Amino acid sequence: MPTISSASIIQMKSVDLWYDKGKPAETWALRNINMEIKKGEYVAFFGPSGCGKTTLLYTLAGIEQPQQGEVLINGKDITHLSKRELAIYRQVGVGIVFQQFNLIPSITVLDNVALPLSFLGMGISLKRRHEEATRLLERLGIKDLAERHPYELSGGQQQRVGIARALANNPPIIVADEPLGNLDSENANKVLEFLKELNEKDGRTIIMVTHEAWSLRDCKRVFYMRDGSIIKVEIPKAPAETAKAALSTYLYKELHPELSSNEAIAKSLAHLLLRGYSIEEVKRFEFFLKQRFNNQIESDLFATLLDKPFKDGGVGLWRTKVEKITKWTEDIIKQKKGLEAVEKELAANPFSSIQEEVDRIRAWLLNEYKGKINDIQRLRLDEIIGERIRKIISSADFRKVLSLSKSKFGVGLSYRAAQRLAEKIDTILGVDPSEKLAQETI
Ligand code: ADP
Ligand code: MG
């Protein structure tokens, strides 16, 4: 038995899988897959249709058998299990949420959810099974639908039944194969929220397969697949948007010197915030952003336009996304406006006090910071914010002082927190592209 870290729940080693091996239709669906997933992780496999995502899920769920390699679940290779052991693993080890829901049409919602419990063969009474199924339906907010048949439900409701069923045997691993594929954006959002809750509150290991970039928002790691292989693993950095917005705004300006700063911001934000959306949607969003930055439309109208269906001239985003983007945009506009006033003031009188502006920017910088800041740290922070506004220190120096220890007259923040705050201030103050590139290569 190979030894692995106790925290790793799933591991694949040199896994190869062919469909129709030796026949003319032979397909090499998984090619030398090596990966490890820790207990309690929320990961996604992301890639175009046909790249092997479903095959990979089915392999780790014990539904497909690879011809080569090992699939270790809690350190045990499931490619060598007996039929009975494999059946038990599939029933209690892993819960599967299917894209097509796969509910049984001839029985009620309640029985669909209770069904996996009867496979256990542990003599659980029908009453107990129904109680357990009812509890799950309640958790998913669909208890009222218990006596209906699947065909009497909307897609969103069916998917919630599918999730309840996947949870029935309390499996530690939940795999979801394109669980949003057939849902409208509101229901898709609900499913994502629920997966996140299962991961964060219940500590389940979640493995999602998707080909839509926007649905990766809560994942801690993303495995990119192409042609049966994992080509890259990415740990999304939060809040990546601020960092990338700062960088790409300046890159856009480099590429398109004719753009005004508002146009460059609109362009870069549009592409960043709507990753995975169609070009038409991004273009329309960029147009509204530019109008908002140029103050040609009010914040309310901006939000309404984002929310409005695409066919009616809007961008057609979901409500929560609209709220987040509007808040973000207004924040940047407010900070930038304040700064412009101060820059004017400083140009006229380089020695005027900017304490008010420093106070505001400090509050804004710290509004998502979870740690505590004492008085000395605050004073030092104020000092460097002031210096940054007066362009006395560079973005890189600002970052350095933030993470420098207090004994060395720094602010003493963690490297990560320093990074975040520096990136945040970069979005409104900007960085010299050469400086930014130098930081990237460090
Ligand atoms: P994805 O889920 O990323 O769309 P799949 O895992 O379904 O990809 O498919 C990977 C490759 O294996 C594709 O070329 C597909 O046509 C092929 N394939 C999938 N399932 C089968 C099967 N049951 N029999 C034969 N070929 C299959
Ligand atoms: Mg698939």
Side-chain angles (χ1 to χ4, degrees):
M1 178 65 53
T3 52
I4 53 164
S5 127
S6 61
S8 136
I9 193 165
I10 297 165
Q11 205 179 20
M12 284 196 180
K13 287 186 177 176
S14 313
V15 167
D16 281 290
L17 186 147
W18 286 267
Y19 288 109
D20 304 312
K21 194 156 196 221
K23 295 185 193 153
E26 180 176 294
T27 307
W28 192 7
L30 295 181
R31 308 179 180 211
N32 190 27
I33 299 286
N34 288 286
M35 60 95 178
E36 188 178 7
I37 297 168
K38 302 266 181 234
K39 208 169 166 208
E41 262 198 300
Y42 180 175
V43 304
F45 287 86
F46 176 71
S49 178
C51 70
K53 304 181 297 293
T54 297
T55 306
L56 190 141
L57 268 199
Y58 284 7
T59 305
L60 66 84
I63 298 171
E64 291 288 352
Q65 287 273 345
Q67 284 86 357
Q68 301 267 6
E70 294 171 15
V71 180
L72 306 167
I73 305 293
N74 285 321
K76 199 170 160 80
D77 189 356
I78 60 165
T79 63
H80 292 117
L81 294 183
S82 69
K83 272 217 169 81
R84 178 164 167 75
E85 284 175 315
L86 197 58
I88 292 174
Y89 168 62
R90 280 195 223 145
Q91 282 161 24
V92 299
V94 51
I96 307 179
V97 179
F98 297 93
Q99 178 178 6
Q100 306 296 342
F101 318 138
N102 289 7
L103 302 175
I104 300 174
S106 58
I107 61 175
T108 64
V109 161
L110 189 70
D111 283 326
N112 263 285
V113 177
L115 196 62
L117 292 160
S118 65
F119 287 140
L120 280 179
M122 291 179 199
I124 306 175
S125 71
L126 184 66
K127 185 164 168 283
R128 268 286 317 283
R129 275 185 263 146
H130 277 175
E131 278 168 11
E132 184 58 23
T134 305
R135 195 183 60 79
L136 286 165
L137 290 176
E138 197 163 12
R139 178 153 185 205
L140 282 136
I142 45 171
K143 202 177 110 186
D144 299 352
L145 308 176
E147 293 311 318
R148 292 209 202 165
H149 285 77
Y151 52 81
E152 297 172 291
L153 306 180
S154 71
Q157 291 166 334
Q158 288 189 54
Q159 189 54 300
R160 277 191 269 172
V161 178
I163 295 175
R165 180 191 51 192
L167 293 175
N169 288 320
N170 210 12
I173 303 170
I174 307 282
V175 304
D177 191 6
E178 312 237 5
L180 316 173
N182 291 322
L183 304 179
D184 59 66
S185 56
E186 193 172 331
N187 279 303
N189 202 21
K190 276 186 192 151
V191 169
L192 281 181
E193 283 302 313
F194 195 71
L195 289 176
K196 188 172 164 204
E197 183 184 316
L198 280 176
N199 175 247
E200 289 178 357
K201 288 201 189 139
D202 298 28
R204 308 294 169 100
T205 307
I206 311 275
I207 299 148
M208 179 174 68
V209 152
T210 182
H211 67 265
E212 288 164 297
W214 61 269
S215 62
L216 299 172
R217 61 180 196 199
D218 300 319
C219 299
K220 302 293 180 289
R221 271 198 308 157
V222 180
F223 294 88
Y224 290 82
M225 288 188 74
R226 191 173 301 156
D227 299 332
S229 302
I230 294 172
I231 53 168
K232 160 171 101 156
V233 187
E234 197 180 81
I235 302 172
K237 256 197 314 187
E241 271 91 356
T242 21
K244 290 193 187 147
L247 177 60
S248 73
T249 300
Y250 286 86
L251 289 180
Y252 269 113
K253 271 175 97 173
E254 279 242 294
L255 289 172
H256 306 280
E258 75 283 3
L259 292 181
S260 71
S261 103
N262 283 349
E263 282 169 336
I265 290 180
K267 211 174 236 325
S268 66
L269 277 184
H271 286 275
L272 283 162
L273 295 174
L274 293 196
R275 247 172 296 169
Y277 285 71
S278 73
I279 291 173
E280 288 74 25
E281 287 166 321
V282 174
K283 276 220 168 106
R284 202 172 276 178
F285 177 50
E286 180 190 330
F287 178 74
F288 294 141
L289 265 175
K290 203 162 62 190
Q291 287 199 313
R292 181 65 199 116
F293 278 121
N294 288 334
N295 211 17
Q296 289 161 312
I297 53 174
E298 295 292 322
S299 169
D300 286 353
L301 179 57
F302 175 67
T304 309
L305 289 167
L306 299 191
D307 188 44
K308 212 180 201 172
F310 190 81
K311 62 175 171 33
D312 302 332
V315 189
L317 304 179
W318 338 309
R319 198 57 58 80
T320 44
K321 180 119 186 160
V322 171
E323 278 165 17
K324 212 169 129 193
I325 288 177
T326 311
K327 198 167 155 276
W328 226 73
T329 312
E330 294 311 309
D331 221 28
I332 290 183
I333 289 172
K334 200 173 122 202
Q335 299 307 329
K336 273 184 76 73
K337 232 190 224 144
L339 266 176
E340 276 159 23
V342 170
E343 274 165 5
K344 249 191 219 146
E345 169 80 30
L346 285 177
N349 179 5
F351 300 107
S352 45
S353 161
I354 53 169
Q355 190 55 44
E356 247 176 59
E357 185 64 15
V358 169
D359 282 343
R360 253 216 8 250
I361 290 191
R362 185 205 333 109
W364 175 66
L365 281 180
L366 293 177
N367 67 6
E368 283 153 352
Y369 179 68
K370 297 269 161 35
K372 280 213 158 57
I373 294 264
N374 66 25
D375 288 345
I376 292 175
Q377 287 176 301
R378 207 202 66 227
L379 282 175
R380 287 189 186 150
L381 185 54
D382 283 1
E383 238 174 80
I384 55 171
I385 292 173
E387 286 173 348
R388 199 59 190 94
I389 296 175
R390 291 174 191 272
K391 308 257 156 66
I392 296 172
I393 58 169
S394 66
S395 165
D397 289 337
F398 182 81
R399 188 177 311 230
K400 260 183 228 150
V401 179
L402 281 179
S403 59
L404 207 62
S405 70
K406 283 176 264 179
S407 62
K408 288 185 178 143
F409 304 102
V411 183
L413 300 183
S414 72
Y415 177 76
R416 208 186 153 92
Q419 189 93 350
R420 281 190 192 181
L421 295 200
E423 283 167 354
K424 201 166 173 183
I425 206 166
D426 287 350
T427 59
I428 55 167
L429 281 170
V431 287
D432 186 39
S434 59
E435 185 188 328
K436 188 76 200 178
L437 289 175
Q439 284 168 23
E440 297 286 305
T441 51
I442 285 170

